[in-house]
């Protein structure tokens, strides 16, 4: 799916060229040394895959990318390629971009693509369910949620997983851990974590924070913690925020949802659950 690329061609604050510009120079080199349409198309595919989830950083980078797309490989601007989408017995007309609500949702969906130029799309299914019964949805951009109880011992502060034998109690300080995983760099990522009703945020002031290699802006709202990430590198990252337990009882633990706003088809959420407090 990612095409042909160089794994070590990564963004760096000390590098003269950004990954897109370096990739375009390599595409030009391949074109002038020994043109190969198949390899060039795979390198062009990587360029477009980058554009799906992030911007091209600067005007020169955008110009180089457009030049490389037009200079190398097969002609993706030709009208030979077609895309046919059928929803049940109905044909959906696809020009360059289309967004359409499909009803009934259970009807079959078929896609037929011809030509060399790539095409991308996504299908969303919306439904209503009690939050405790929501099942986890995984994806390229994935998030996991865990709740710990913070305790102070002779060795310092430690995080203890919540269990039936060690439930949370009113007055405890808990830590919500959000683990993010992605197999590609993404720009403009939004993470929303719904707090349990019994939790009150320990840090109510919004602020920019740095943790585990990621800069992000955290904003504490009445029912959720909103985290805005401008640049999310490839890899696994762990973000945490503290809360205080204010009330006893049984509460829905809330679910965390993460989405790349630049490419909304990359979205996932955690499962619903329950937290018991004595």
């Amino acid at each position: 799916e990612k095409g042909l690329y160089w794994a070590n061609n990564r963004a760096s604050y000390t590098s003269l060229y950004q990954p897109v510009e370096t990739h375009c120079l390599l595409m030009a080199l391949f074109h002038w040394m020994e043109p190969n349409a198949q390899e060039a198309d795979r390198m062009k595919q990587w360029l477009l895959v980058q554009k799906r989830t992030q911007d091209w950083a600067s005007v020169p980078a955008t110009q180089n990318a457009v030049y490389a797309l037009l200079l190398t490989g097969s002609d993706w601007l030709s009208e030979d390629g077609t895309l046919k989408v059928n929803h049940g017995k109905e044909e959906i007309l696809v020009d360059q971009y289309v967004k359409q609500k499909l009803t009934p949702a259970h009807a079959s969906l078929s896609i037929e693509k011809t030509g060399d130029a790539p095409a991308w799309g996504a299908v969303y299914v919306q439904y209503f369910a009690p939050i405790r019964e929501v099942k986890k949805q995984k994806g390229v951009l994935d998030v996991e949620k865990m709740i710990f109880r913070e305790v102070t011992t002779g060795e310092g502060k430690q995080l203890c997983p919540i269990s039936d034998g060690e439930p949370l109690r009113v007055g405890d300080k808990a830590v919500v851990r959000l683990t993010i995983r992605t197999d590609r760099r993404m720009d403009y990522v939004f993470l929303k974590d719904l707090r349990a009703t019994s939790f009150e945020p320990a840090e109510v002031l919004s602020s920019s924070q740095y943790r585990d290699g990621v800069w992000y802006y955290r904003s504490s709202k009445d029912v959720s913690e909103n985290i805005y990430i401008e640049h999310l590198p490839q890899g696994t990252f762990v973000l945490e925020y503290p809360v205080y337990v204010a009330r006893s009882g049984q509460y829905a633990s809330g679910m965390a949802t993460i989405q790349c706003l630049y490419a909304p088809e990359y979205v996932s959420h955690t499962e619903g659950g329950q937290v018991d407090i004595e």
Side-chain angles (χ1 to χ4, degrees):
E1 179 191 0
K2 295 183 181 180
L4 177 61
Y5 64 101
W6 286 261
N8 290 330
N9 180 24
R10 300 176 180 176
S12 172
Y13 293 105
T14 59
S15 176
L16 178 61
Y17 294 102
Q18 291 301 308
V20 169
E21 297 174 277
T22 302
H23 188 84
C24 292
L25 289 172
L26 290 167
M27 289 178 65
L29 175 64
F30 272 65
H31 176 73
W32 296 119
M33 293 291 293
E34 187 176 353
N36 184 308
Q38 184 177 3
E39 290 183 350
D41 284 350
R42 295 188 63 202
M43 287 187 280
K44 289 165 65 173
Q45 184 173 336
W46 183 88
L47 267 184
L48 293 181
V49 166
Q50 300 308 297
K51 186 59 175 174
R52 289 183 70 192
T53 60
Q54 58 191 278
D55 58 21
W56 276 338
S58 64
V59 173
T62 302
Q63 292 175 336
N64 291 337
V66 173
Y67 178 72
L69 290 171
L70 296 176
L71 173 70
T72 63
S74 55
D75 184 9
W76 285 1
L77 297 180
S78 66
E79 299 180 357
D80 297 336
T82 59
L83 178 63
K84 294 183 180 179
V85 180
N86 291 292
H87 179 244
K89 297 182 179 179
E90 177 188 2
E91 180 178 351
I92 301 176
L93 299 178
V94 179
D95 184 6
Q96 292 183 347
Y97 174 82
V98 62
K99 184 176 182 180
Q100 184 168 336
K101 182 179 180 181
L102 305 179
T103 55
H106 62 269
S108 62
L109 185 70
S110 62
I111 301 173
E112 181 182 351
K113 174 71 175 65
T114 61
D116 296 327
W120 289 281
V123 178
Y124 302 87
V125 179
Q126 292 183 331
Y127 62 95
F128 294 95
I131 193 170
R132 288 182 174 89
E133 301 177 7
V134 174
K135 297 182 180 180
K136 178 177 175 58
Q137 174 190 331
K138 295 183 179 180
V140 171
L141 179 62
D142 188 58
V143 60
E144 293 182 1
K145 178 178 178 179
M146 295 184 66
I147 302 176
F148 297 87
R149 183 164 62 97
E150 184 179 285
V151 296
T152 302
T153 65
E155 299 178 355
K157 295 182 179 179
Q158 296 183 353
L159 298 181
C160 300
I162 299 175
S163 62
D164 295 336
E166 290 291 336
L168 288 172
R169 294 176 173 82
V170 175
D172 282 348
K173 185 176 183 180
V175 173
V176 180
R177 175 178 293 174
L178 302 170
T179 304
I180 303 172
R181 294 182 177 88
T182 177
D183 70 348
R184 66 198 67 189
R185 184 183 175 214
M186 295 188 179
D187 289 341
Y188 315 119
V189 175
F190 175 53
L191 173 57
K192 181 177 182 178
D193 181 36
L194 297 175
R195 291 192 306 271
T197 310
S198 59
F199 290 162
E200 294 294 338
E203 300 174 356
V204 297
L205 296 180
S206 302
S207 63
S208 296
Q209 299 181 6
Y210 177 83
R211 181 182 176 90
D212 207 12
V214 176
W215 279 101
Y216 60 93
Y217 183 81
R218 185 190 59 80
S219 177
S220 181
K221 299 297 183 181
D222 291 338
V223 298
S224 65
E225 291 290 323
N226 295 345
I227 295 176
Y228 305 87
I229 306 173
E230 186 173 1
H231 303 293
L232 179 65
Q234 176 183 343
T236 301
F237 308 93
V238 178
L239 310 182
E240 295 177 346
Y241 68 90
V243 294
Y244 287 111
V245 181
R247 289 168 289 275
S248 61
Q250 295 181 337
Y251 301 90
S253 60
M255 66 179 189
T257 303
I258 190 168
Q259 185 173 29
C260 176
L261 301 184
Y262 201 83
E265 64 267 26
Y266 292 103
V267 58
S268 65
H269 57 74
T270 62
E271 68 278 2
Q274 179 175 297
V275 56
D276 299 327
I277 300 174
E278 296 182 353

